[in-house]
CSV table of all heavy atoms in Angstrom, one decimal:
chain,number,residue,atom,x,y,z
A,1,ALA,N,-48.5,-83.4,51.4
A,1,ALA,CA,-49.8,-82.7,51.7
A,1,ALA,C,-49.7,-81.6,52.7
A,1,ALA,O,-50.4,-80.6,52.7
A,1,ALA,CB,-50.8,-83.8,52.1
A,2,GLU,N,-48.8,-81.8,53.7
A,2,GLU,CA,-48.7,-80.8,54.8
A,2,GLU,C,-48.0,-79.6,54.4
A,2,GLU,O,-48.0,-78.6,55.2
A,2,GLU,CB,-48.0,-81.5,56.0
A,2,GLU,CG,-48.8,-82.6,56.7
A,2,GLU,CD,-48.8,-83.9,56.0
A,2,GLU,OE1,-48.1,-84.0,55.0
A,2,GLU,OE2,-49.5,-84.8,56.4
A,3,SER,N,-47.4,-79.6,53.3
A,3,SER,CA,-46.6,-78.4,52.8
A,3,SER,C,-47.6,-77.4,52.2
A,3,SER,O,-48.6,-77.7,51.5
A,3,SER,CB,-45.6,-78.7,51.7
A,3,SER,OG,-45.1,-77.6,51.1
A,4,PRO,N,-47.5,-76.1,52.5
A,4,PRO,CA,-48.4,-75.1,52.0
A,4,PRO,C,-48.4,-74.9,50.5
A,4,PRO,O,-49.3,-74.5,49.8
A,4,PRO,CB,-48.0,-73.8,52.7
A,4,PRO,CG,-46.6,-74.0,53.0
A,4,PRO,CD,-46.4,-75.4,53.3
A,5,VAL,N,-47.2,-75.2,49.8
A,5,VAL,CA,-47.0,-75.0,48.4
A,5,VAL,C,-46.2,-76.2,47.9
A,5,VAL,O,-45.1,-76.5,48.4
A,5,VAL,CB,-46.3,-73.7,48.0
A,5,VAL,CG1,-46.1,-73.6,46.5
A,5,VAL,CG2,-47.2,-72.5,48.5
A,6,ASN,N,-46.7,-76.8,46.8
A,6,ASN,CA,-46.0,-77.9,46.2
A,6,ASN,C,-45.7,-77.5,44.7
A,6,ASN,O,-46.6,-77.2,44.0
A,6,ASN,CB,-46.9,-79.2,46.1
A,6,ASN,CG,-47.6,-79.5,47.5
A,6,ASN,OD1,-48.8,-79.4,47.6
A,6,ASN,ND2,-46.8,-79.9,48.4
A,7,ILE,N,-44.4,-77.5,44.4
A,7,ILE,CA,-44.0,-77.0,43.1
A,7,ILE,C,-43.5,-78.2,42.3
A,7,ILE,O,-42.5,-78.7,42.5
A,7,ILE,CB,-42.9,-75.9,43.2
A,7,ILE,CG1,-43.3,-74.8,44.2
A,7,ILE,CG2,-42.5,-75.4,41.9
A,7,ILE,CD1,-42.2,-73.9,44.6
A,8,GLU,N,-44.3,-78.5,41.3
A,8,GLU,CA,-44.0,-79.7,40.4
A,8,GLU,C,-43.0,-79.3,39.3
A,8,GLU,O,-43.2,-78.3,38.7
A,8,GLU,CB,-45.3,-80.3,39.8
A,8,GLU,CG,-46.3,-80.7,40.8
A,8,GLU,CD,-47.6,-81.2,40.1
A,8,GLU,OE1,-47.5,-81.6,39.0
A,8,GLU,OE2,-48.6,-81.2,40.8
A,9,CYS,N,-41.9,-80.1,39.2
A,9,CYS,CA,-40.8,-79.7,38.3
A,9,CYS,C,-40.4,-80.8,37.4
A,9,CYS,O,-40.4,-82.0,37.8
A,9,CYS,CB,-39.6,-79.3,39.2
A,9,CYS,SG,-40.0,-78.0,40.4
A,10,ARG,N,-39.9,-80.5,36.2
A,10,ARG,CA,-39.3,-81.4,35.3
A,10,ARG,C,-37.9,-80.9,35.0
A,10,ARG,O,-37.7,-79.8,34.6
A,10,ARG,CB,-40.1,-81.5,34.0
A,10,ARG,CG,-41.4,-82.3,34.2
A,10,ARG,CD,-41.9,-82.8,32.8
A,10,ARG,NE,-43.2,-83.5,33.0
A,10,ARG,CZ,-44.4,-83.0,32.5
A,10,ARG,NH1,-44.4,-81.9,31.9
A,10,ARG,NH2,-45.5,-83.7,32.8
A,11,VAL,N,-36.9,-81.8,35.2
A,11,VAL,CA,-35.5,-81.5,35.0
A,11,VAL,C,-35.3,-81.2,33.5
A,11,VAL,O,-35.7,-82.0,32.6
A,11,VAL,CB,-34.6,-82.6,35.5
A,11,VAL,CG1,-33.1,-82.3,35.2
A,11,VAL,CG2,-34.8,-82.9,36.9
A,12,THR,N,-34.6,-80.1,33.2
A,12,THR,CA,-34.2,-79.8,31.8
A,12,THR,C,-32.7,-79.9,31.6
A,12,THR,O,-32.3,-80.1,30.5
A,12,THR,CB,-34.6,-78.3,31.5
A,12,THR,OG1,-33.9,-77.4,32.4
A,12,THR,CG2,-36.1,-78.1,31.7
A,13,GLU,N,-31.9,-79.8,32.7
A,13,GLU,CA,-30.5,-79.9,32.5
A,13,GLU,C,-29.8,-80.2,33.8
A,13,GLU,O,-30.3,-79.8,34.9
A,13,GLU,CB,-29.9,-78.6,32.0
A,13,GLU,CG,-28.5,-78.5,31.6
A,13,GLU,CD,-28.0,-77.2,31.0
A,13,GLU,OE1,-28.9,-76.3,30.8
A,13,GLU,OE2,-26.8,-77.0,30.8
A,14,ILE,N,-28.7,-80.9,33.8
A,14,ILE,CA,-27.9,-81.2,35.0
A,14,ILE,C,-26.5,-80.7,34.8
A,14,ILE,O,-25.8,-81.1,33.8
A,14,ILE,CB,-27.9,-82.7,35.3
A,14,ILE,CG1,-29.3,-83.2,35.5
A,14,ILE,CG2,-27.1,-82.9,36.6
A,14,ILE,CD1,-29.4,-84.8,35.7
A,15,LYS,N,-26.0,-79.8,35.6
A,15,LYS,CA,-24.7,-79.2,35.5
A,15,LYS,C,-23.8,-79.8,36.6
A,15,LYS,O,-24.1,-79.6,37.8
A,15,LYS,CB,-24.7,-77.7,35.6
A,15,LYS,CG,-25.3,-77.0,34.3
A,15,LYS,CD,-25.2,-75.5,34.5
A,15,LYS,CE,-25.6,-74.8,33.2
A,15,LYS,NZ,-24.5,-75.0,32.1
A,16,SER,N,-22.7,-80.4,36.2
A,16,SER,CA,-21.7,-80.9,37.2
A,16,SER,C,-20.8,-79.8,37.6
A,16,SER,O,-20.1,-79.2,36.7
A,16,SER,CB,-20.9,-82.1,36.6
A,16,SER,OG,-20.0,-82.6,37.5
A,17,LEU,N,-20.8,-79.4,38.8
A,17,LEU,CA,-20.0,-78.2,39.3
A,17,LEU,C,-18.9,-78.5,40.2
A,17,LEU,O,-18.0,-77.7,40.4
A,17,LEU,CB,-21.0,-77.3,40.0
A,17,LEU,CG,-22.2,-76.8,39.1
A,17,LEU,CD1,-23.1,-75.9,40.0
A,17,LEU,CD2,-21.7,-76.0,37.9
A,18,GLY,N,-18.8,-79.7,40.8
A,18,GLY,CA,-17.8,-80.0,41.8
A,18,GLY,C,-18.4,-80.9,42.9
A,18,GLY,O,-18.8,-82.0,42.7
A,19,SER,N,-18.5,-80.3,44.1
A,19,SER,CA,-19.1,-81.0,45.2
A,19,SER,C,-20.6,-81.4,45.0
A,19,SER,O,-21.1,-82.4,45.5
A,19,SER,CB,-18.9,-80.2,46.5
A,19,SER,OG,-19.7,-79.0,46.5
A,20,HIS,N,-21.3,-80.5,44.2
A,20,HIS,CA,-22.7,-80.7,43.9
A,20,HIS,C,-22.9,-80.6,42.4
A,20,HIS,O,-22.2,-80.0,41.7
A,20,HIS,CB,-23.5,-79.6,44.6
A,20,HIS,CG,-23.6,-79.7,46.1
A,20,HIS,ND1,-22.5,-79.5,46.9
A,20,HIS,CD2,-24.6,-79.9,47.0
A,20,HIS,CE1,-22.8,-79.6,48.2
A,20,HIS,NE2,-24.1,-79.9,48.2
A,21,ASP,N,-24.0,-81.3,42.0
A,21,ASP,CA,-24.5,-81.1,40.7
A,21,ASP,C,-25.8,-80.2,40.8
A,21,ASP,O,-26.6,-80.3,41.7
A,21,ASP,CB,-24.9,-82.4,40.0
A,21,ASP,CG,-23.7,-83.1,39.5
A,21,ASP,OD1,-22.6,-82.6,39.7
A,21,ASP,OD2,-23.9,-84.2,38.8
A,22,LEU,N,-25.9,-79.3,39.8
A,22,LEU,CA,-27.0,-78.4,39.8
A,22,LEU,C,-28.1,-78.9,38.8
A,22,LEU,O,-27.9,-79.1,37.6
A,22,LEU,CB,-26.6,-77.0,39.3
A,22,LEU,CG,-27.6,-75.9,39.2
A,22,LEU,CD1,-28.1,-75.5,40.6
A,22,LEU,CD2,-27.1,-74.7,38.5
A,23,PHE,N,-29.3,-79.2,39.4
A,23,PHE,CA,-30.4,-79.6,38.6
A,23,PHE,C,-31.3,-78.3,38.2
A,23,PHE,O,-31.8,-77.7,39.1
A,23,PHE,CB,-31.3,-80.6,39.3
A,23,PHE,CG,-30.7,-81.9,39.5
A,23,PHE,CD1,-29.7,-82.1,40.5
A,23,PHE,CD2,-31.2,-83.0,38.8
A,23,PHE,CE1,-29.2,-83.4,40.7
A,23,PHE,CE2,-30.6,-84.3,38.9
A,23,PHE,CZ,-29.6,-84.5,39.9
A,24,LEU,N,-31.3,-78.0,36.9
A,24,LEU,CA,-32.2,-77.0,36.4
A,24,LEU,C,-33.5,-77.6,36.0
A,24,LEU,O,-33.6,-78.7,35.4
A,24,LEU,CB,-31.6,-76.3,35.2
A,24,LEU,CG,-30.2,-75.7,35.4
A,24,LEU,CD1,-29.7,-75.1,34.1
A,24,LEU,CD2,-30.1,-74.8,36.6
A,25,ALA,N,-34.6,-77.0,36.4
A,25,ALA,CA,-35.9,-77.6,36.2
A,25,ALA,C,-37.0,-76.6,35.8
A,25,ALA,O,-37.0,-75.5,36.4
A,25,ALA,CB,-36.4,-78.4,37.4
A,26,GLN,N,-37.9,-77.0,35.0
A,26,GLN,CA,-39.1,-76.1,34.6
A,26,GLN,C,-40.2,-76.4,35.6
A,26,GLN,O,-40.5,-77.6,35.8
A,26,GLN,CB,-39.5,-76.3,33.2
A,26,GLN,CG,-40.6,-75.3,32.7
A,26,GLN,CD,-40.8,-75.3,31.2
A,26,GLN,OE1,-39.9,-75.9,30.5
A,26,GLN,NE2,-41.8,-74.7,30.8
A,27,VAL,N,-40.9,-75.4,36.1
A,27,VAL,CA,-42.1,-75.6,36.9
A,27,VAL,C,-43.2,-75.9,36.0
A,27,VAL,O,-43.5,-75.1,35.1
A,27,VAL,CB,-42.3,-74.3,37.7
A,27,VAL,CG1,-43.6,-74.5,38.5
A,27,VAL,CG2,-41.1,-74.1,38.7
A,28,VAL,N,-43.9,-77.0,36.2
A,28,VAL,CA,-45.0,-77.4,35.3
A,28,VAL,C,-46.4,-77.2,36.0
A,28,VAL,O,-47.4,-77.2,35.3
A,28,VAL,CB,-44.8,-78.8,34.8
A,28,VAL,CG1,-43.6,-78.9,33.9
A,28,VAL,CG2,-44.7,-79.8,35.9
A,29,SER,N,-46.4,-77.2,37.3
A,29,SER,CA,-47.6,-77.0,38.0
A,29,SER,C,-47.3,-76.6,39.5
A,29,SER,O,-46.3,-76.9,40.0
A,29,SER,CB,-48.5,-78.3,38.0
A,29,SER,OG,-49.7,-78.1,38.7
A,30,VAL,N,-48.3,-75.9,40.1
A,30,VAL,CA,-48.1,-75.5,41.5
A,30,VAL,C,-49.4,-75.7,42.3
A,30,VAL,O,-50.5,-75.3,41.9
A,30,VAL,CB,-47.7,-74.0,41.6
A,30,VAL,CG1,-47.6,-73.5,43.1
A,30,VAL,CG2,-46.5,-73.6,40.8
A,31,GLY,N,-49.3,-76.5,43.4
A,31,GLY,CA,-50.4,-76.7,44.2
A,31,GLY,C,-50.3,-75.8,45.5
A,31,GLY,O,-49.3,-75.7,46.1
A,32,VAL,N,-51.4,-75.1,45.8
A,32,VAL,CA,-51.4,-74.1,46.9
A,32,VAL,C,-52.5,-74.5,47.9
A,32,VAL,O,-53.7,-74.8,47.5
A,32,VAL,CB,-51.7,-72.7,46.3
A,32,VAL,CG1,-51.7,-71.7,47.5
A,32,VAL,CG2,-50.5,-72.3,45.4
A,33,GLU,N,-52.2,-74.4,49.1
A,33,GLU,CA,-53.2,-74.7,50.2
A,33,GLU,C,-54.3,-73.6,50.2
A,33,GLU,O,-54.0,-72.4,50.3
A,33,GLU,CB,-52.5,-74.7,51.5
A,33,GLU,CG,-53.4,-75.1,52.7
A,33,GLU,CD,-52.6,-75.1,54.0
A,33,GLU,OE1,-51.4,-75.3,54.0
A,33,GLU,OE2,-53.3,-75.0,55.1
A,34,GLU,N,-55.5,-74.1,50.0
A,34,GLU,CA,-56.7,-73.1,49.8
A,34,GLU,C,-56.9,-72.2,51.1
A,34,GLU,O,-57.3,-71.1,50.9
A,34,GLU,CB,-58.0,-73.9,49.6
A,34,GLU,CG,-58.0,-74.5,48.2
A,34,GLU,CD,-59.3,-75.2,47.9
A,34,GLU,OE1,-60.1,-75.4,48.8
A,34,GLU,OE2,-59.5,-75.6,46.7
A,35,ALA,N,-56.5,-72.7,52.2
A,35,ALA,CA,-56.7,-72.0,53.5
A,35,ALA,C,-55.8,-70.7,53.5
A,35,ALA,O,-56.1,-69.8,54.3
A,35,ALA,CB,-56.4,-72.8,54.7
A,36,LEU,N,-54.8,-70.6,52.6
A,36,LEU,CA,-53.9,-69.5,52.6
A,36,LEU,C,-54.4,-68.4,51.6
A,36,LEU,O,-53.7,-67.4,51.4
A,36,LEU,CB,-52.5,-69.9,52.2
A,36,LEU,CG,-51.8,-70.9,53.2
A,36,LEU,CD1,-50.5,-71.3,52.7
A,36,LEU,CD2,-51.7,-70.2,54.6
A,37,LEU,N,-55.5,-68.6,50.9
A,37,LEU,CA,-56.1,-67.7,50.0
A,37,LEU,C,-57.1,-66.7,50.7
A,37,LEU,O,-57.9,-67.2,51.5
A,37,LEU,CB,-56.8,-68.4,48.9
A,37,LEU,CG,-55.9,-69.4,48.0
A,37,LEU,CD1,-56.8,-70.0,46.9
A,37,LEU,CD2,-54.7,-68.7,47.4
A,38,ASP,N,-57.0,-65.4,50.5
A,38,ASP,CA,-57.9,-64.5,51.1
A,38,ASP,C,-59.2,-64.5,50.2
A,38,ASP,O,-59.4,-65.2,49.3
A,38,ASP,CB,-57.3,-63.1,51.3
A,38,ASP,CG,-56.9,-62.4,50.0
A,38,ASP,OD1,-57.4,-62.8,48.9
A,38,ASP,OD2,-56.1,-61.5,50.0
A,39,ALA,N,-60.1,-63.6,50.6
A,39,ALA,CA,-61.4,-63.5,50.0
A,39,ALA,C,-61.3,-63.2,48.5
A,39,ALA,O,-62.2,-63.6,47.7
A,39,ALA,CB,-62.3,-62.5,50.7
A,40,SER,N,-60.3,-62.5,48.1
A,40,SER,CA,-60.1,-62.1,46.7
A,40,SER,C,-59.3,-63.1,45.9
A,40,SER,O,-59.0,-63.0,44.7
A,40,SER,CB,-59.4,-60.7,46.6
A,40,SER,OG,-58.0,-60.8,47.1
A,41,GLY,N,-58.9,-64.2,46.6
A,41,GLY,CA,-58.1,-65.3,45.9
A,41,GLY,C,-56.6,-65.1,45.9
A,41,GLY,O,-55.9,-65.8,45.3
A,42,ARG,N,-56.2,-64.0,46.6
A,42,ARG,CA,-54.7,-63.7,46.7
A,42,ARG,C,-54.1,-64.6,47.7
A,42,ARG,O,-54.6,-64.8,48.8
A,42,ARG,CB,-54.5,-62.3,47.1
A,42,ARG,CG,-53.0,-61.8,47.1
A,42,ARG,CD,-52.9,-60.4,47.4
A,42,ARG,NE,-51.5,-60.0,47.5
A,42,ARG,CZ,-51.1,-58.8,47.8
A,42,ARG,NH1,-51.9,-57.8,48.0
A,42,ARG,NH2,-49.8,-58.5,47.9
A,43,LEU,N,-52.9,-65.1,47.4
A,43,LEU,CA,-52.1,-66.0,48.3
A,43,LEU,C,-51.5,-65.2,49.4
A,43,LEU,O,-50.8,-64.3,49.2
A,43,LEU,CB,-51.0,-66.8,47.5
A,43,LEU,CG,-50.1,-67.7,48.3
A,43,LEU,CD1,-50.9,-68.8,49.0
A,43,LEU,CD2,-49.0,-68.2,47.4
A,44,ARG,N,-51.8,-65.6,50.6
A,44,ARG,CA,-51.2,-65.0,51.8
A,44,ARG,C,-50.2,-66.0,52.5
A,44,ARG,O,-50.5,-66.6,53.5
A,44,ARG,CB,-52.3,-64.6,52.8
A,44,ARG,CG,-53.3,-63.6,52.2
A,44,ARG,CD,-52.6,-62.2,52.0
A,44,ARG,NE,-53.6,-61.2,51.5
A,44,ARG,CZ,-53.3,-60.0,51.3
A,44,ARG,NH1,-52.0,-59.6,51.4
A,44,ARG,NH2,-54.2,-59.1,50.9
A,45,LEU,N,-49.1,-66.2,51.8
A,45,LEU,CA,-48.2,-67.2,52.2
A,45,LEU,C,-47.6,-67.0,53.6
A,45,LEU,O,-47.2,-67.9,54.3
A,45,LEU,CB,-47.1,-67.4,51.2
A,45,LEU,CG,-46.2,-68.6,51.2
A,45,LEU,CD1,-47.1,-69.9,51.2
A,45,LEU,CD2,-45.3,-68.6,50.0
């Protein structure tokens, strides 16, 4: 809740690369803190 932007993701693929695995994910929804929107509705991050 305290984060200004919450990006909801669903994993589409996992690539094994070595020390790390890469999770590729599609963004399915984004929650934005209303206080960061100006009068025109533009995000002022």
Side-chain angles (χ1 to χ4, degrees):
E2 290 79 8
S3 171
V5 177
N6 313 110
I7 306 169
E8 300 177 25
C9 306
R10 287 201 182 110
V11 177
T12 60
E13 187 178 352
I14 303 174
K15 287 183 169 292
S16 183
L17 301 176
S19 64
H20 291 66
D21 279 7
L22 181 69
F23 288 77
L24 306 180
Q26 185 168 348
V27 177
V28 295
S29 182
V30 179
V32 178
E33 185 178 335
E34 290 184 349
L36 298 176
L37 303 179
D38 63 19
S40 66
R42 182 177 178 183
L43 177 61
R44 299 293 184 179
L45 197 51

